[in-house]
Amino acid sequence: MAVNREEYEKIIAELRKNNVTLVAVSKTKPVKDILELYDLGQRDFGENYVQEMVKKYEQLPKDIRWHFIGHLQSNKVKYIAPFVSLIHSVDSEKLLKEINKEANKNSRIVDCLLQVYIAKEDTKFGLDDEELHELVSRISNIVSLKNISVKGLMGMASFTDNNHVIKKEFQHLKSLFEKYETINHKPSTFTILSMGMSADYKTAIEEGSNMVRIGSLLFGERQKTG
Ligand SMILES: *Cc1c(COP(=O)(O)O)cnc(C)c1O
């Protein structure tokens, strides 16, 4: 149940060496667990559910950077727009426009990642290569999206023990990242490649990730509903 401090220190040391940012995924975990990592210096936390993230935001120190990593419905953007630090899971133009609108209401620029579907399973959200290409081209042309900044890509590998499959999927995402890094009009803003979770973050780093999202290694296993 408790936070695994030893694992945290180990992971942090490893990530620091590689210049990788750790997002500690705290979904379904209590506020006191988050505070425990906060006291060790952790500031980036990831959540999957809007209501849960809002509640935790209200209860916790305001210098925490909240990452939204779950599937996001357009009608819920307004609840997180005032404070969210990075939305990892943008998968449509509609959602992007809604984030822009709500960010504008809050006089903010909200950072986003486009979620790409790289796994073999069909239970996961995200854009396929073609949809990604289309959306990136459209974003470059929609000058009215002044209140969002598209910072990079996020993806999840297949849930499998086959490291070869995972490696291939991460390599694919990395190649897409490099492709759009160079065609983006403002290349210096397209800098984040969010890939890697508890089971595969080492492989992800080997394949060029610079942001990993780790939950169960730090906070223990979640209940099935999580
Ligand atoms: C839950 C979740 C994670 C963390 O998963 P662990 O296996 O517990 O590390 C990372 N990314 C996303 C998108 C998630 O939903």
Side-chain angles (χ1 to χ4, degrees):
M1 277 296 164
V3 170
N4 193 336
R5 289 168 174 251
E6 231 169 88
E7 191 68 33
Y8 175 71
E9 301 292 358
K10 211 181 80 191
I11 291 172
I12 275 293
E14 201 176 348
L15 298 189
R16 217 166 261 154
K17 254 193 341 224
N18 294 284
N19 268 319
V20 177
T21 301
L22 171 65
V23 177
V25 177
S26 45
K27 61 184 175 207
T28 79
K29 297 299 174 181
V31 157
K32 75 165 176 36
D33 286 4
I34 297 176
L35 269 179
E36 201 174 327
L37 275 197
Y38 178 90
D39 287 338
L40 296 178
Q42 181 65 25
R43 290 296 178 272
D44 292 274
F45 290 91
E47 291 284 340
N48 285 54
Y49 310 102
V50 167
Q51 266 178 313
E52 185 179 347
M53 186 161 97
V54 170
K55 229 175 167 176
K56 285 172 172 171
Y57 163 74
E58 286 165 354
Q59 295 174 56
L60 285 158
K62 292 299 173 278
D63 62 340
I64 285 179
R65 292 181 290 272
W66 291 101
H67 296 247
F68 193 83
I69 63 173
H71 183 61
L72 182 56
Q73 290 169 285
S74 296
N75 62 353
K76 295 202 171 154
V77 171
K78 58 176 176 284
Y79 301 113
I80 62 170
F83 67 91
V84 69
S85 177
L86 180 64
I87 299 174
H88 291 230
S89 47
V90 174
D91 60 359
S92 74
E93 187 178 331
K94 180 181 173 219
L95 182 57
L96 212 50
K97 285 180 167 163
E98 183 66 19
I99 296 167
N100 183 66
K101 189 181 95 190
E102 294 299 328
N104 182 265
K105 280 188 196 166
N106 288 278
S107 309
R108 302 185 67 215
I109 292 171
V110 171
D111 292 343
C112 301
L113 303 179
L114 303 178
Q115 182 172 354
V116 187
Y117 174 83
I118 53 171
K120 301 280 172 288
E121 301 136 17
D122 44 40
T123 52
K124 285 177 179 158
F125 295 100
L127 303 148
D128 65 27
D129 290 18
E130 214 170 295
E131 292 165 336
L132 174 68
H133 189 77
E134 205 162 291
L135 188 54
V136 172
S137 335
R138 289 187 59 84
I139 292 167
S140 323
N141 290 322
I142 312 176
V143 285
S144 60
L145 295 177
K146 290 191 173 62
N147 291 80
I148 52 159
S149 178
V150 178
K151 293 278 190 188
L153 303 177
M154 183 271 252
M156 274 189 274
S158 294
F159 187 71
T160 170
D161 289 335
N162 187 336
N163 198 50
H164 180 70
V165 169
I166 294 171
K167 226 178 166 66
K168 273 272 157 61
E169 292 172 355
F170 284 153
Q171 282 168 358
H172 179 61
L173 187 60
K174 175 72 185 325
S175 73
L176 291 171
F177 178 65
E178 285 172 340
K179 178 174 165 188
Y180 295 113
E181 196 177 27
T182 52
I183 69 157
N184 195 295
H185 290 308
K186 293 173 283 177
S188 60
T189 66
F190 205 80
T191 53
I192 302 176
L193 180 56
S194 168
M195 62 183 196
M197 310 177 22
S198 290
D200 55 22
Y201 79 93
K202 287 184 184 169
T203 306
I205 293 169
E206 281 165 20
E207 299 309 328
S209 166
N210 58 28
M211 184 175 276
V212 295
R213 310 173 310 271
I214 298 181
S216 41
L217 268 186
L218 301 170
F219 294 106
E221 293 296 328
R222 290 176 298 273
Q223 304 292 331
K224 269 283 172 277
T225 54

